[in-house]
Amino acid sequence: MRYDVIVIGAGIVGTSIAWHLQKSNFQVLLLDKKQPGEETSYGNAGIITREAVNIKPFPRSFREVLRVLANNSTDIRYRWSAIYNLQRPLLQY
């Protein structure tokens, strides 16, 4: 059989892409080493987090900045190595 598209990865994203392509009359082959949804999508339940849609704004109060400075909270994480390249915009902020 000939396929128009091969989608590699049967997680929530790959399966959704394959499904939409099939709805548009493409011949689609969906490849994964396990059954659909049994890898990463199984671990996160196929959820696209709301933080990806509603972005949390950078803290505005001095108290909030001090809280996230320790870099041990789950709502804001950063790499210390990136701070050097971001020092100008951070100081402007």
Side-chain angles (χ1 to χ4, degrees):
M1 177 175 231
R2 282 186 60 89
Y3 298 99
D4 299 312
V5 179
I6 298 174
V7 177
I8 300 173
I12 188 67
V13 174
T15 302
S16 297
I17 290 169
W19 180 70
H20 280 281
L21 287 167
Q22 280 189 323
K23 281 180 51 176
S24 298
N25 297 319
F26 286 93
Q27 292 293 322
V28 180
L29 175 63
L30 180 60
L31 292 177
D32 203 317
K33 61 184 174 182
K34 292 190 177 179
Q35 292 296 313
E38 286 192 0
E39 293 274 6
T40 304
S41 292
Y42 177 79
N44 64 23
I47 295 171
I48 298 175
T49 63
R50 65 179 173 201
E51 289 82 11
V53 177
N54 299 319
I55 300 169
K56 181 177 170 85
F58 195 82
R60 294 274 178 198
S61 72
F62 188 69
R63 181 178 176 176
E64 185 75 3
V65 170
L66 288 177
R67 183 185 70 77
V68 300
L69 199 58
N71 200 28
N72 60 5
S73 88
T74 58
D75 55 346
I76 297 176
R77 297 287 297 167
Y78 57 89
R79 289 188 312 269
W80 282 104
S81 60
I83 297 298
Y84 179 77
N85 293 330
L86 297 172
Q87 61 184 327
R88 186 174 180 167
L90 285 170
L91 289 172
Q92 287 175 339
Y93 173 78

